[in-house]
Amino acid sequence: MRYLYLAAGLVAAGFGALGAFLPLLPATPFLLTALFFFTRSSPRLEHRLLHHSVFGEYITDYYVGELSRARKVQIIGLMWTSMAVSMLIVRELWFTVMLTAIALGVAVHIALLTPNPARAAKFRARYSLPATASATQ
């Protein structure tokens, strides 16, 4: 079962990395899924993902709800920009309606994320992660 989890984690991490660059592929759900599978299969890859120079802080801040207002605005703005580009490329009504509904749901979810200090402390202690200043910006 460990190797199945490891394979699923690698696939999810790959999609997460692609999602950082492709408009229709979300990075966050795949990176969180990769973390889930690495936790159950490879402490080394779990550590590597959480301490990654690009994705580590992003995953941690999202997971514990420590996204600053500026970061939330940036995430929502980039999401809407990528959705708009996708809508302009495809130009189908059903596709536009679907992307608008998805974007509205995700925007509300991101906007309503609130910090959970107890969860943050437990998570950071478990993975030996330092506190970040992004929640105070």
Side-chain angles (χ1 to χ4, degrees):
M1 194 59 133
R2 179 176 180 235
Y3 293 110
L4 185 62
Y5 281 165
L6 180 62
L10 290 170
V11 169
F15 279 127
L18 285 174
F21 305 104
L22 299 176
L24 287 179
L25 195 61
T28 304
F30 288 112
L31 293 173
L32 292 173
T33 301
L35 181 63
F36 171 85
F37 286 121
F38 289 155
T39 299
R40 285 147 183 84
S41 64
S42 174
R44 184 177 62 85
L45 290 175
E46 174 190 40
H47 181 272
R48 191 168 177 183
L49 183 60
L50 285 171
H51 291 84
H52 190 272
S53 61
V54 175
F55 299 125
E57 185 178 339
Y58 175 73
I59 293 168
T60 302
D61 288 352
Y62 174 81
Y63 184 78
V64 298
E66 292 182 345
L67 295 173
S68 66
R69 179 174 286 142
R71 197 170 213 180
K72 287 179 181 182
V73 168
Q74 179 187 26
I75 290 168
I76 293 170
L78 286 171
M79 177 193 60
W80 277 105
T81 301
S82 66
M83 294 290 192
V85 168
S86 298
M87 290 176 203
L88 289 172
I89 291 171
V90 175
R91 294 184 184 262
E92 292 284 337
L93 179 61
W94 68 269
F95 189 74
T96 301
V97 170
M98 179 186 70
L99 287 186
T100 302
I102 291 170
L104 281 171
V106 172
V108 168
H109 169 71
I110 295 292
L112 295 179
L113 278 177
T114 56
N116 185 334
R119 184 179 188 183
K122 184 177 177 183
F123 185 80
R124 291 185 192 287
R126 177 178 179 190
Y127 296 109
S128 303
L129 297 168
T132 61
S134 64
T136 60
Q137 293 177 351

